[in-house]
Amino acid sequence: MKVLKFGGTSVANPENIRKVKAIVQNLGNQKSAVVVSAFGGVTDLLLNTSKLASEQNQDYKKTLQEIENRHIGAIKELIPVQNQSAVLSKVKSDLNVLETLLEGSFLIGELTPKLSDKIVSYGELLSAYIISEFFKSEGLDAIFKDSRELIITDDNYGKANVDFKKTNTHCNTFFKSNQHDVVLLPGFVASSDSGDSTTLGRGGSDYTAAIIAAAENVDILEIWTDVSGMYTANPKLVKQAKCVSNISYEEAMELSHFGAKVLYPPTIQPVLGKEIPIAIKNTFDPENPGTLIAKNNNGNGKTVRGISHVDDICLLSLEGPGMIGIPGISKRFFETLSLKNISVVLITQASSEHSICVGISDDDAQKAEKAVNEAFEYEMATKKIKPVIVEKDLTIVALVGDNMKSHQGLSGKMFSTLGKNNVNIRAIAQGASERNISAVIRKEDVKKALNSLHETFFEENIKQLNLFVMGVGNVGSKFLEQIRQQKKYLKDELKLNVRVIGISNSRNMVFNENGVALNDWNTLLSQGEKADKQAFFDRVKLLNFRNSVFVDNTANEEVSKSYPDYLRNSISVVTCNKIACSSDYAYYKELKQLAKKYNAPFLFETNVGAGLPIIDTLKHLIASGDKVKKIQAVLSGSLNFVFNTFNDAVTFHDVVKEAQEQGYTEPDPTIDLSGIDVMRKILILARESGHELNIEDIENEAFLPKESLDTNSNEAFFESLKKYEANFQKMYKEAAGANSKLKYVAQFEEGKAKVGLQKIPKGHDFYNLEGSDNIVLFFTERYPNQPLIIKGAGAGADVTASGIFADIIRIGNY
Ligand code: ADP
Ligand code: ASP
Ligand code: MG
């Protein structure tokens, strides 16, 4: 014989029930016991209607009506008209009893646990009966058997304890005499010695099936549900979760105890002793092999087999100087909880014995607090022990695996993964069996925690990066386009799954938790909500995704002030905006420190030389122990263009005008021509070389007349250039006469930085610098005479975007 159990979703409606029939029919001549749950959602409806009735709320009738409609509707769809009346009359009579029970509760305004069990048992009783009649009408040799006649329990209503001796005898007697191929049994329900209905706890139909399977010592117990087996994590929360095809009893038990709802925890106990394997299968994908739970079936030495979590946990901590060295405190503490029927999910005790901390269900928090404070009243009054501390709204996440004990470093990996993602750990426990490492975290972090742990332990190959992009002008839009084009390559080759979750410009912002469609971001953004920097940050924080990166493509000062908010939440920052790194030294330092403290990279490669790997190279030099002696660089693409184009056949005015029109300069060309942009860049290089410097410390030998610099409109500026044309020509001729070219050079040496126009002689590294290229020479202890040279396109939206891209990839490899 085989025992099959079909859960609530599997029998939620006639369409699904037909699938169940097909599976049972497929067994052919093999005898089976088929245990079913109530139609999906009916148990909740029954509990709901009885609660309303006991609160004397007339609305209970509406819920009852809904329950009636579900069952009558199923009969009408499943059973041929000629057979319907007998089934309808039996079900209607049951529903009448149910109605009377609810009326009683309504009238006296009370719901005892005993009455609650009686009411809720109708869910399974009705579903099993209707399905058995449907099976018969389809020609199966089926009968209905009321499980209450087989499974005997105590009267701990709501979660009754099974009397296995009596139960096994009843099962053996019944199945011995049974002649039918298929026996349909209601799950979850049982009866007490005195014949009252009891239930086995929420999710208890699995247990019913296991009890019968063990009593009859069958070959296999099949649990048919709505997912294809036991997964590496709850597939509803972790999309990448995979089915674990083989798992040991102990692992499965541990996972289910820690929240893998797919199997009701007590289910394993009865079958474990008899070594009956459990198959978890999907009613909606019957060919899928699912999961096999069996003895020693723990996956060929694999360590972590699954990650599960228990919601709605509270931590109860008892501490105080009076606890040290006094025997019996823990005993009294646990006794107090046990006497109140409070089950302890997790325990940690500091080795100093100064405190004990346990995790219990949120529902028990009040009861536990009161009981413990009463039990230790004397010690608390004499200040030996502090009043118990209760922290609510927590979740336990647990890594589970039989072989975890023989591997070092798993807990380190677990905690560093959580830490990197700013998941604060409130308590830690590792079972003595080392089959489980648990951490207590805040409830709102659970999705992020599960996904990042899953990534670490099961998808070591693929890492997801979640980007939040602010600014989609020239650079930002190129950047989005590059991501769109490279998405597949990144995934296949670099094992990075890069998604853009949020985009904002100065007008609108748009978010999509599954990633904004990058072929249509423009339209989506224009239809998005009103932009707001604070609201953008709040949303990033609320979404609470792992590996989040804030990308600033603006040149906005306000935006650059928001970086600490991101970093403090372990959200990395990538920026081409130079303001933050070139503002006050204290702020630059603070950002660096926050990045370190919160384990969130702060990268700004594009601040100097666009996409050229200048800052990254400098970082590597310093990290490997080298020291910078001197930096010489041409860092302004705009100025380079201007001086490469300017000669005695054109006017300086026309060249600058052209540079502005072609987008080589900022809209306000004085930012480039005054040298301020270059000052910022050399300042950043000096700081990255380890020097404390501010912009005021940099010498700027301006080549523009003061009058030009002081103009306050573009028009006035260009007018003044015309006026001083003779000066510019003179500069050119002097240089040309000396066989030199004019270059705007930045220099840093012995702690001092300066910028200014220089005559560069033929043969110098800077002489042949084309177009808007940049060049940097690093003279260091390792490169004292022949500098390390980085040269290439140092301006333009495309190269800047690819520099940002490179920073994102650095984070991916972090
Ligand atoms: P049934 O009604 O068939 O008994 P349940 O809802 O009780 O089904 O259990 C199946 C559900 O368990 C799945 O839909 C899934 O959401 C949840 N679940 C939680 N953790 C896991 C896990 N590790 N593997 C598979 N399913 C899980
Ligand atoms: N119907 C019950 C519940 O929803 C038992 C079960 O489905 O396993 O809890
Ligand atoms: Mg279940």
Side-chain angles (χ1 to χ4, degrees), residues 44-83:
D44 286 333
L45 289 174
L46 284 163
L47 288 169
N48 193 10
T49 179
S50 34
K51 182 164 178 282
L52 290 171
S54 69
E55 288 164 355
Q56 303 190 309
N57 183 337
Q58 291 279 6
D59 285 349
Y60 84 88
K61 291 184 179 157
K62 284 191 209 148
T63 313
L64 177 62
Q65 189 60 53
E66 198 183 332
I67 296 169
E68 290 187 11
N69 295 346
R70 288 277 298 274
H71 293 91
I72 304 291
I75 296 171
K76 291 194 167 149
E77 271 197 54
L78 290 170
I79 311 237
V81 185
Q82 63 274 24
N83 304 345

Side-chain angles (χ1 to χ4, degrees), residues 143-398:
I143 53 150
F144 167 81
K145 175 71 184 170
D146 189 340
S147 313
R148 293 177 301 179
E149 293 165 14
L150 301 179
I151 303 179
I152 306 302
T153 65
D154 64 7
D155 58 4
N156 186 23
Y157 297 103
K159 198 172 179 182
N161 303 296
V162 177
D163 179 335
F164 279 94
K165 210 161 160 229
K166 288 182 187 153
T167 301
N168 289 346
T169 313
H170 289 172
C171 286
N172 297 153
T173 317
F174 169 73
F175 282 103
K176 205 164 171 190
S177 63
N178 168 51
Q179 300 294 319
H180 298 274
D181 288 346
V182 184
V183 181
L184 247 301
L185 300 122
F188 182 52
V189 300
S191 73
S192 68
D193 254 338
S194 47
D196 293 308
S197 298
T198 58
T199 59
L200 301 175
R202 290 306 306 269
S205 295
D206 298 341
Y207 192 30
T208 305
I211 294 166
I212 295 169
E216 293 309 299
N217 204 359
V218 298
D219 299 332
I220 188 160
L221 164 62
E222 293 181 354
I223 303 284
W224 291 82
T225 182
D226 55 3
V227 282
S228 298
M230 201 156 207
Y231 279 58
T232 45
N234 185 344
K236 298 222 167 96
L237 293 176
V238 179
K239 284 209 186 87
Q240 288 88 329
K242 290 174 290 220
C243 172
V244 185
S245 54
N246 291 288
I247 194 162
S248 73
Y249 288 119
E250 291 78 9
E251 289 172 331
M253 195 143 46
E254 200 78 25
L255 279 172
S256 73
H257 267 292
F258 278 85
K261 181 187 171 218
V262 64
L263 198 67
Y264 181 51
T267 307
I268 295 172
Q269 206 60 46
V271 292
L272 172 70
K274 302 209 163 153
E275 295 182 12
I276 300 169
I278 307 175
I280 302 191
K281 306 262 298 170
N282 189 348
T283 305
F284 308 97
D285 183 11
E287 296 307 317
N288 195 310
T291 297
L292 188 72
I293 307 173
K295 198 181 171 200
N296 297 334
N297 201 17
N298 51 18
N300 298 331
K302 283 190 192 137
T303 53
V304 182
R305 307 302 312 284
I307 304 167
S308 54
H309 73 284
V310 194
D311 277 330
D312 301 324
I313 289 291
C314 94
L315 277 183
L316 210 61
S317 312
L318 193 66
E319 48 179 81
M323 288 173 65
I324 303 173
I326 300 181
I329 299 257
S330 315
K331 179 169 168 271
R332 274 169 61 203
F333 181 65
F334 287 108
E335 250 169 23
T336 308
L337 296 175
S338 150
L339 281 172
K340 293 284 168 192
N341 228 342
I342 296 167
S343 92
V344 173
V345 194
L346 167 143
I347 307 169
T348 61
Q349 177 166 27
S351 58
S352 68
E353 291 184 50
H354 190 75
S355 71
I356 317 173
C357 171
V358 295
I360 60 173
S361 158
D362 259 346
D363 295 340
D364 291 331
Q366 239 182 340
K367 196 163 66 168
E369 182 178 12
K370 189 162 172 280
V372 175
N373 282 343
E374 278 170 13
F376 291 92
E377 201 177 356
Y378 170 74
E379 286 86 348
M380 287 174 189
T382 52
K383 305 230 180 307
K384 290 196 173 92
I385 293 181
K386 293 184 200 158
V388 73
I389 303 162
V390 181
E391 277 176 85
K392 296 185 79 169
D393 295 327
L394 303 170
T395 293
I396 300 178
V397 287

Side-chain angles (χ1 to χ4, degrees), residues 418-419 421-427 440-442 445:
L418 294 175
N421 281 288
N422 201 27
V423 176
N424 189 19
I425 300 172
R426 293 292 310 111
V440 180
I441 62 170
R442 291 182 318 166
D445 285 334

Side-chain angles (χ1 to χ4, degrees), residues 743-763:
K743 300 281 168 194
Y744 197 82
V745 176
Q747 183 157 319
F748 173 71
E749 193 172 11
E750 292 184 354
K752 290 208 167 58
K754 63 175 185 192
V755 298
L757 204 59
Q758 290 186 12
K759 293 195 264 306
I760 302 294
K762 220 177 185 149

Side-chain angles (χ1 to χ4, degrees), residues 622-685:
I622 306 277
S624 62
D626 203 355
K627 287 207 170 53
V628 174
K629 299 198 138 329
K630 184 163 94 174
I631 303 171
Q632 271 188 318
V634 175
L635 293 170
S636 168
S638 346
L639 287 175
N640 214 28
F641 174 85
V642 168
F643 288 106
N644 277 342
T645 318
F646 180 51
N647 56 42
D648 50 6
V650 286
T651 67
F652 194 69
H653 166 275
D654 289 354
V655 171
V656 176
K657 191 92 199 153
E658 189 193 340
Q660 187 206 30
E661 277 162 11
Q662 291 200 16
Y664 285 119
T665 69
E666 301 280 328
D668 171 4
T670 55
I671 294 186
D672 294 300
L673 276 87
S674 65
I676 177 78
D677 187 59
V678 178
M679 284 164 79
R680 285 177 175 163
K681 290 174 177 165
I682 193 73
L683 175 66
I684 294 170
L685 292 183

